[in-house]
Amino acid sequence: MKAGIKWGCIVLVAVFAISGISLWSMGPDWRALLADPPTDTNILFWSQSQRDAGFKMMDKISVLVKSKEIQPSSNKRALSLGEPLDFTTNINTFFETQSLAGMLVLHKGNIRFERYGLGHSPDKRWTSFSVAKSFTSSLVGIALKDGDIKSLDDNVSDYIKGLKGSVYDSVTISQLLTMTSGVDWNESYTDPQSDVARFNNHIATDGLPTIVSYMRTLSRAHPAGEQWLYSTGETNLIGILVEAATGQSIAQYLGEKIWQPFGMADQASWLLGPDGKEISGCCIQASLRDFARYGLFVLEDGNINGKSILPDGWFKTATSKQADIGQPGSGYGYQWWTFDDGTFTARGIFGQTIFIDPARQLVIALNGNWLGATDQELNQQRFAFISEIQAMLDQ
């Protein structure tokens, strides 16, 4: 999850005025956002209407928010149309209740359902929030296969030198992936003083990347490996680790290893923090279809041109329960939310989801804008609807 995106819309209005660009020529999303500019620097505390517009253009205000582009493939993976699904649930009501910007159902690689809302469309991008964590996890697996990472049992501080002498000296890459480092972290999305709300505004004075400078100040809450604690900060460390191991930015690495070879059809981007590093726990901007294509990449075990680019059995391990999260039937893998029935999800705040069911060869990608960052009732409703789709496919 990415917090603390400083847009300063009043400044932008002045920039456009000086440039002679009219609000009308800027398109409906720009007009909506600038007509009601956020006054809070933290996107967690924007209004729903501000997010409706902003989530489609997080990477377009290059004056204040930097990003790295990820170029599309020259050999785009086609998605054929399959037989449309006939839902018993009222789909209009479902979209409205869920505040959905888009939903795409792929079954055996074919589109069985695709629909958009909130002004979203196939040619626009939507932000991923923590769905990006699962992408970052795959980059670790690729680096492991390539030999740039020697072992998941290596200490994190062997790769991120700035963590030497901190609590992360005794934390392994595996523990970082499963969020079982035991390092204290506050992921509250409603508390402006939580770690997740503050880390990106941290001023590094030690010459280190912002997230490393912030995380090295944290203290230990539990012995490493004993307790699961959700921490976006730790996924951000994983991105720094991959960059240190491979010598490439993670946006470049994603593009080179997955985006272009697998056939992603649209340009994507990865938002950067103030120090120019990708915020790897959050904020890939991509089309709904390319989010679904990533689900296919996982479903097909990372196979490109008939050969997996990941270690043998990577996804079987990464998407199965490695850590107990205190919820019966559920767990956490390598940056994936897992279920005991073999299904799993990449999940982000405000309703972003990629659901994968290997047994049914099913991928469901959803973009949304819930009223709050998290919502247990909407989440339960969403998975009830997914169960309906699974039942339809079983008939």
Side-chain angles (χ1 to χ4, degrees):
M1 211 295 305
K2 165 72 159 62
I5 300 175
K6 296 185 174 181
W7 277 22
C9 286
I10 295 175
V11 173
L12 289 170
V13 171
V15 169
F16 288 121
I18 292 169
S19 303
I21 301 173
S22 71
L23 292 180
W24 184 255
S25 68
M26 290 161 48
D29 297 323
W30 277 108
R31 293 197 298 272
L33 190 62
L34 295 178
D36 180 24
T39 57
D40 199 310
T41 62
N42 192 325
I43 199 170
L44 290 170
F45 305 107
W46 285 14
S47 71
Q48 194 166 21
S49 62
Q50 289 164 345
R51 297 193 307 267
D52 280 348
F55 285 2
K56 294 191 288 290
M57 43 188 270
M58 298 276 276
D59 56 355
K60 291 186 178 179
I61 309 180
S62 60
V63 174
L64 296 173
V65 180
K66 304 296 183 181
S67 63
K68 284 187 179 176
E69 292 184 349
I70 303 166
Q71 297 303 319
S73 176
S74 59
N75 185 22
K76 299 176 181 179
R77 171 78 176 253
L79 299 176
S80 301
L81 294 177
E83 182 182 353
L85 294 173
D86 185 16
F87 300 109
T88 57
T89 295
N90 186 308
I91 199 67
N92 294 328
T93 301
F94 182 72
F95 256 67
E96 182 178 354
T97 303
Q98 289 278 323
S99 298
L100 278 178
M103 182 170 76
L104 179 61
V105 179
L106 289 179
H107 180 228
K108 297 182 178 179
N110 298 316
I111 298 175
R112 302 290 301 274
F113 179 82
E114 182 177 21
R115 177 170 169 169
Y116 296 87
L118 306 181
H120 195 29
S121 60
D123 61 328
K124 293 182 179 180
R125 296 183 289 224
W126 193 267
T127 196
S128 70
F129 290 106
S130 288
V131 165
K133 289 180 169 66
S134 302
F135 285 74
T136 300
S137 167
S138 294
L139 299 183
V140 174
I142 295 168
L144 184 65
K145 171 90 170 189
D146 288 349
D148 293 317
I149 292 174
K150 304 305 180 191
S151 170
L152 297 187
D153 294 327
D154 289 347
N155 285 341
V156 171
S157 60
D158 290 342
Y159 294 81
I160 307 175
K161 303 305 182 184
L163 292 178
K164 289 287 187 183
S166 75
V167 289
Y168 285 97
D169 267 337
S170 58
V171 173
T172 67
I173 298 173
S174 177
Q175 290 163 348
L176 210 61
L177 283 169
T178 57
M179 297 194 180
T180 57
S181 72
V183 176
D184 198 19
W185 175 268
N186 182 349
E187 186 82 11
S188 172
Y189 303 124
T190 58
D191 179 5
Q193 298 305 311
S194 68
D195 292 301
V196 77
R198 294 172 52 224
F199 77 86
N200 205 48
N201 295 325
H202 175 72
I203 305 299
T205 59
D206 45 20
L208 296 172
T210 298
I211 189 61
V212 176
S213 179
Y214 187 87
M215 300 297 280
R216 66 174 287 112
T217 68
L218 300 180
S219 58
R220 179 160 298 287
H222 306 280
E226 291 188 5
Q227 185 75 34
W228 177 82
L229 179 66
Y230 189 78
S231 171
T232 290
E234 299 205 331
T235 314
N236 294 339
L237 285 182
I238 294 173
I240 298 292
L241 188 149
V242 170
E243 180 177 337
T246 65
Q248 299 182 62
S249 74
I250 58 172
Q252 180 184 357
Y253 200 57
L254 175 64
E256 177 187 308
K257 294 295 186 177
I258 299 176
W259 215 258
Q260 285 99 37
F262 193 73
M264 305 307 187
D266 300 303
Q267 181 176 291
S269 69
W270 209 321
L271 291 191
L272 308 177
D275 60 1
K277 302 291 186 183
E278 293 91 331
I279 304 170
S280 48
C282 171
C283 303
I284 294 172
Q285 283 61 234
S287 68
L288 182 63
R289 289 185 179 184
D290 279 343
F291 282 128
R293 285 186 178 93
Y294 176 67
L296 282 181
F297 170 78
V298 177
L299 197 61
E300 295 174 4
D301 203 29
N303 277 289
I304 295 176
N305 298 322
K307 182 179 179 181
S308 179
I309 63 172
L310 291 135
D312 292 344
W314 173 266
F315 279 122
K316 183 177 181 180
T317 301
T319 62
S320 60
K321 184 176 180 178
Q322 303 298 322
D324 188 346
I325 64 173
Q327 298 177 13
S330 303
Y332 202 71
Y334 292 167
Q335 308 283 302
W336 290 92
W337 300 89
T338 69
F339 301 101
D340 290 353
D341 65 359
T343 64
F344 49 92
T345 67
R347 200 178 307 172
I349 58 171
F350 297 108
Q352 321 318 316
T353 303
I354 302 175
F355 173 86
I356 301 175
D357 181 344
R360 295 179 176 85
Q361 300 180 56
L362 173 66
V363 175
I364 303 175
L366 302 107
N367 294 148
N369 183 17
W370 289 348
L371 181 61
T374 60
D375 191 308
Q376 184 175 358
E377 183 176 345
L378 289 179
N379 193 54
Q380 290 174 345
Q381 181 190 81
R382 175 168 292 187
F383 279 97
F385 184 72
I386 289 172
S387 294
E388 177 184 330
I389 294 174
Q390 292 171 307
M392 292 169 64
L393 298 178
D394 289 342
Q395 293 177 357

